[in-house]
Amino acid sequence: MSSTLHRRWILPAAAASFALVLAGCAGGGSGPSADVDCADYEQYGTFENESVEIYATIIDVEADQIVESWADFEACTGITIDYVGTQEAETQINVRAAAGDAPDIMIVPQPGLLQRLIADGYVVPAAQSVEDNVDEFWSESWKGYGTVDGTFYAAPLMASVKGWVWYSPADFEANGYEVPETWDDLMALTEDMAANNTATYKPWCVGFGSGDATGWPGTDWIEDLVLRTAGPEAYDQWVAGELKFDSPEIREAFDLAGEILLNPDYVNGGFGGVDSIVSTTFNDGGLPILDGNCSLHHQASFYEAQWPEGTVVAPDGDVWAFITPKMSADDPESVTGGGEFVAAFTESDAVTAVQTYLSSDTWANNRVALGGVISANKGLDPELAGSELGKASIEILQGEDTVFRFDGSDLMPAAVGTSSFWTGMVDWIVGTRNTDEVLTFIDSTYP
Amino acid sequence: MAARGDFWGGLWEKFGILIIGLAAFAAVIGLILFLVDKAPKRGRDVLQLVAFVAPALILLGVGLIYPAVRTAYLAFTNRTGEFIGLDNFVWMFTQPQIITTLINTLVWVALVPTLSTAIGLAYAVFIDRSRGEKVLKALVFMPMAISFVGAGIIWRFVYEYRAEGFEQIGILNQIIVWVGGEPQQFLINSPWNTLFLIIVMIWIQTGFAMVLLSAAIKGVPTEIIEASRLDGANGWQQFVNVTIPGIRPTLVVVVTTISIATLKVFDIVRTMTGGNYDTSVIANEMYTQAFNRGEYGQGSALALVLFIMVLPIVIYNVRVMRKQREIR
């Protein structure tokens, strides 16, 4: 290499690395604030130079918030928590665990992966202190997802609620509509609304479009109805693959959903006919509510973020939502949703302390107060939630008799849950397959 | 492990490993070259040949030949890896869904190369030596710079549907409404939806055909064209009897290249319809079967069929090249 060439690149490189070092110094971690009240953290003990790695799929703002949520815990206990967040965590964990390089703790975003990691023998059973917290703060159905063969492994962390039906309170007020108590009420309400049909207005607006995942919002409809009509036991069997799609229970859910989704008088407000359901993206699906082109839209709580800037989401705001009604008034509240679990891969007192803290009401309140998420932890104060919908979701999750079930398609084998169930819903809406054909098709793709 | 909040630490860690790896690679190569250079006189040529060819051959073996052989073997196994003979191929030709996929692929291969070459050639001839040729060429060539996924998203907006009485946001339906027609679900109504996907590929590939053919047309000797004109040939006769034979080798290259690209088409279908509504093609179905459904046997069988379809085109291409060389 000639000396001139050498000089030509070494100088910028040195300058660039100097800039990197400077930036690195500027972007240091936030130290614990000096005035932390450590009374809440005494139970976790104190440690010297212990560090625990937490691995998760949570990134960006939410990662900063979760790191913030244990800052006081770190300051009081002396444990340093190394947070590593990457979107690839769900696939990388298998590689890391197999290579003997597993993190101390992973926040697992779905039960299916958790069960697989437990079955492969990577996950360490949870300590008694963690189990006591879960018994105190969570319902049985939540604990069940972290349990295999009677051994308890992983405590739940955060949660989300699916199966909301969005509506405009002003629209209900103006037309004298009542929020329905049961499914029959909902159908009667839909019938009433259909009397006002115009060229553009239909009672429901629906959007199944989502690139190559088109059809997934349809699976939420079916899951909500299976849980409400067939009950949690049948739901569990269905998700586990023991109850076929082509069974009376699942067929009934399809038929009930079809009464709305396949009826040109009821859909698709603001977009067109029945087949416009699949050509409308899920992001746009509920927006006609704001233009008065539809009255009802079935979508999970995250749809809150899809409303345009300035839309007030509250019982007396621009839009609000009720949970998909139950079948009869004396049924228990049932909801579908999602959530995370905290699994440990190594054993040490520091790891147990972190796990115990994350399963406590203290953590739940700390984290929810920072905004953006909710938890099913019963020790959580709903008033802390950042939004009205979050508050309502927490109250539902904390309900004494609330039956909670995970989103079924996330738990089914990928061949069904993220492939044929989706395309089956699309074929069913477009009419290329009737109900019988869709059910047998999905069954035929089971591994 | 990098300290929390220390973003740059992680970056250094990654790039440090990268730099060390590159340095090690350079050192190994340097060592090999040095040793080859210092090799004994006898057999030095052979040694040098091996040393230079081996890395490429090893990479080809690991990255191409081994996977190809393994895929061919997997095509005869089921999802648990048991050998099942021709069952996957029986499945392929008995499933209506897969037959549709195969037919769609054939339609793609029949239409895209012919239409994009024809349009590209006509365009190249018409703008040849006209004013503003560069600008006109750039306009048609521009879609080549767009990725298939990007093009898919653009055209999805073009085909976007809103029912009658709503404000259209897709340009095509808006035009139809302006001339008094009914808006259409371009991407859902089978079998026409496949044609609307094919248009996207033609839109991309025409520029490629046009640029190559334009260069070839400019390479046809003017003397021959002059001579044919003196013999009294009209424009069309000149084109058919002089220009076309003159650019035949380029035509072959263009058609075969576009054919192979079309056989492999995946991103357009995946982005625009996800293979729903009977628009799936082999590459898309292969991906769905192998990676979404975990049916590696069925996915591999589709891959094998795709390979068999590409093979004749490649062989033909090689033979034409050989002939060209002999002529030269």
Side-chain angles (χ1 to χ4, degrees):
Chain A
M1 183 178 300
S2 75
S3 65
T4 51
L5 182 66
H6 195 79
R7 257 206 308 276
R8 201 180 308 155
W9 70 263
I10 201 105
L11 200 66
S17 55
F18 184 65
L20 287 186
V21 172
L22 276 185
C25 295
S30 54
S33 47
D35 52 351
V36 177
D37 174 16
C38 281
D40 284 341
Y41 300 100
E42 278 167 10
Q43 54 177 307
Y44 303 113
T46 50
F47 297 82
E48 288 292 322
N49 301 329
E50 290 271 10
S51 77
V52 172
E53 185 197 340
I54 295 188
Y55 191 57
T57 49
I58 303 163
I59 54 165
D60 299 341
V61 177
E62 292 192 3
D64 297 341
Q65 288 170 324
I66 200 163
V67 166
E68 177 71 17
S69 74
W70 55 57
D72 291 357
F73 170 84
E74 288 179 285
C76 295
T77 57
I79 298 174
T80 309
I81 296 179
D82 292 327
Y83 178 75
V84 181
T86 161
Q87 280 179 302
E88 276 77 46
E90 283 180 78
T91 44
Q92 282 302 312
I93 186 65
N94 298 312
V95 180
R96 286 189 64 178
D101 173 40
D104 297 314
I105 289 176
M106 176 170 176
I107 299 173
V108 185
Q110 51 146 316
L113 176 62
L114 177 69
Q115 303 278 352
R116 209 167 56 237
L117 291 166
I118 292 171
D120 291 345
Y122 296 127
V123 181
V124 184
Q128 193 57 47
S129 55
V130 180
E131 190 161 2
D132 292 345
N133 270 349
V134 173
D135 289 336
E136 183 179 352
F137 296 119
W138 264 278
S139 67
E140 271 308 303
S141 38
W142 278 97
K143 189 182 176 183
Y145 281 112
T147 308
V148 172
D149 296 337
T151 311
F152 176 71
Y153 287 90
L157 193 70
M158 291 174 268
S160 66
V161 174
K162 289 195 161 195
W164 290 98
V165 177
W166 294 86
Y167 69 98
S168 152
D171 167 44
F172 271 47
E173 183 109 14
N175 291 294
Y177 300 141
E178 293 281 328
V179 170
E181 292 291 315
T182 66
W183 185 261
D184 290 340
D185 293 350
L186 180 70
M187 293 311 288
L189 175 66
T190 305
E191 187 68 35
D192 289 348
M193 290 171 169
N196 305 335
N197 275 354
T198 64
T200 56
Y201 174 87
K202 298 281 185 301
W204 289 85
C205 41
V206 191
F208 282 5
S210 182
D212 59 6
T214 295
W216 69 258
T219 66
D220 290 356
W221 277 82
I222 303 296
E223 285 151 11
D224 268 331
L225 283 161
V226 170
L227 184 59
R228 284 162 179 73
T229 56
E233 288 76 21
Y235 185 91
D236 290 344
Q237 289 169 354
W238 173 54
V239 167
E242 293 154 17
L243 187 66
K244 281 189 172 316
F245 273 77
D246 194 1
S247 64
E249 292 92 335
I250 312 303
R251 183 181 298 269
E252 186 189 1
F254 268 83
D255 290 339
L256 285 173
E259 282 174 19
I260 294 172
L261 296 174
L262 302 180
N263 184 339
D265 292 338
Y266 292 174
V267 291
N268 189 8
F271 300 108
V274 170
D275 65 1
S276 69
I277 288 176
V278 290
S279 57
T280 304
T281 62
F282 79 91
N283 322 62
D284 295 345
L287 301 182
I289 288 180
L290 300 175
D291 316 327
N293 280 328
C294 73
S295 297
L296 301 164
H297 177 65
H298 178 273
Q299 190 53 280
S301 54
F302 63 73
Y303 202 74
E304 194 176 3
Q306 300 289 347
W307 298 109
E309 196 107 2
T311 310
V312 181
V313 179
D316 51 358
D318 302 322
V319 287
W320 187 235
F322 55 87
I323 283 283
T324 305
K326 38 200 176 179
M327 287 299 140
S328 74
D330 42 16
D331 282 352
E333 287 291 345
S334 330
V335 288
T336 53
E340 293 105 350
F341 295 86
V342 182
F345 295 82
T346 58
E347 273 181 291
S348 77
D349 291 346
V351 169
T352 300
V354 173
Q355 271 189 292
T356 312
Y357 170 58
L358 291 179
S359 60
S360 69
D361 53 340
T362 317
W363 181 84
N365 285 307
N366 281 350
R367 174 64 193 90
V368 171
L370 296 169
V373 299
I374 57 166
S375 166
N377 191 308
K378 286 181 190 160
L380 175 63
D381 177 4
E383 294 302 322
L384 291 172
S387 70
E388 288 286 337
L389 189 74
K391 203 159 80 178
S393 301
I394 293 169
E395 279 162 1
I396 288 168
L397 287 170
Q398 289 180 335
E400 228 20 78
D401 302 326
T402 299
V403 175
F404 181 88
R405 282 295 179 271
F406 256 82
D407 179 294
S409 57
D410 284 354
L411 302 183
M412 292 172 186
V416 177
T418 60
S419 185
S420 61
F421 196 175
W422 292 345
T423 54
M425 293 308 296
V426 172
D427 294 341
W428 185 64
I429 294 290
V430 180
T432 40
R433 286 192 167 103
N434 63 28
T435 308
D436 287 0
E437 288 165 336
V438 167
L439 296 173
T440 44
F441 160 69
I442 298 176
D443 279 332
S444 77
T445 59
Y446 249 94
Chain B
M1 201 54 245
R4 171 161 56 77
D6 187 359
F7 168 75
W8 298 110
L11 208 64
W12 278 121
E13 202 176 308
K14 283 183 196 136
F15 282 102
I17 290 169
L18 177 79
I19 291 161
I20 290 167
L22 286 175
F25 178 75
V28 169
I29 295 291
L31 185 71
I32 290 173
L33 292 181
F34 175 78
L35 288 176
V36 167
D37 191 46
K38 290 277 177 272
K41 269 257 186 300
R42 195 190 309 162
R44 183 184 287 187
D45 292 353
V46 177
L47 249 174
Q48 284 181 344
L49 188 72
V50 169
F52 282 112
V53 173
L57 281 184
I58 290 168
L59 288 176
L60 267 180
V62 172
L64 186 73
I65 296 168
Y66 169 72
V69 171
R70 190 170 153 70
T71 303
Y73 167 74
L74 282 177
F76 299 95
T77 61
N78 65 8
R79 59 177 306 125
T80 54
E82 294 163 23
F83 189 81
I84 51 165
L86 292 173
D87 282 9
N88 286 330
F89 296 89
V90 172
W91 161 84
M92 198 183 305
F93 294 106
T94 50
Q95 285 277 331
Q97 195 193 344
I98 308 296
I99 292 172
T100 308
T101 301
L102 294 170
I103 292 171
N104 283 344
T105 307
L106 292 176
V107 172
W108 275 81
V109 172
L111 291 180
V112 175
T114 47
L115 285 175
S116 37
T117 310
I119 298 168
L121 180 59
Y123 192 80
V125 170
F126 286 130
I127 65 163
D128 199 32
R129 302 200 188 96
S130 67
R131 268 195 319 162
E133 186 185 349
K134 283 204 175 90
V135 177
L136 290 170
K137 268 192 186 171
L139 280 178
V140 175
F141 190 67
M142 248 189 253
M144 270 298 280
I146 299 174
S147 72
F148 281 14
V149 173
I153 290 168
I154 292 169
W155 281 85
R156 217 172 51 200
F157 281 119
V158 171
Y159 294 141
E160 186 76 44
Y161 163 88
R162 288 286 183 275
E164 212 164 1
F166 292 96
E167 208 168 324
Q168 296 296 334
I169 62 170
I171 180 87
L172 205 53
N173 271 322
Q174 183 61 64
I175 291 168
I176 288 178
V177 170
W178 273 329
V179 301
E182 253 182 65
Q184 295 297 316
Q185 282 273 27
F186 292 107
L187 292 176
I188 291 180
N189 298 336
S190 169
W192 306 110
N193 47 13
T194 293
L195 293 181
F196 291 111
L197 296 185
I198 286 173
I199 288 172
V200 181
M201 183 108 177
I202 293 173
W203 177 72
I204 294 177
Q205 295 292 2
T206 299
F208 167 76
M210 183 268 304
V211 165
L212 286 189
L213 293 171
S214 174
I217 289 169
K218 290 189 193 317
V220 176
T222 38
E223 295 87 345
I224 308 180
I225 296 181
E226 296 279 320
S228 68
R229 196 173 302 156
L230 289 174
D231 287 344
N234 62 23
W236 176 248
Q237 285 169 324
Q238 276 176 42
F239 176 69
V240 172
N241 297 318
V242 180
T243 312
I244 294 273
I247 61 169
R248 172 159 303 164
T250 313
L251 268 177
V252 169
V253 169
V254 167
V255 171
T256 50
T257 310
I258 297 179
S259 300
I260 293 172
T262 308
L263 275 169
K264 294 189 303 185
V265 69
F266 166 79
D267 355 33
I268 292 176
V269 175
R270 196 91 193 162
T271 319
M272 292 181 75
T273 63
N276 286 315
Y277 333 119
D278 293 340
T279 57
S280 197
V281 291
I282 292 185
N284 180 67
E285 200 55 34
M286 171 182 98
Y287 183 92
T288 303
Q289 294 293 340
F291 303 113
N292 287 1
R293 308 235 169 119
E295 297 280 2
Y296 287 100
Q298 292 171 3
S300 302
L302 285 161
L304 201 60
V305 167
L306 188 57
F307 178 69
I308 290 165
M309 286 167 92
V310 174
L311 213 52
I313 303 176
V314 175
I315 290 169
Y316 176 71
N317 221 348
V318 169
R319 282 182 52 186
V320 169
M321 296 260 190
R322 276 226 189 101
K323 261 206 203 103
Q324 294 300 325
R325 218 170 288 152
E326 282 163 16
I327 292 168
R328 278 186 213 134

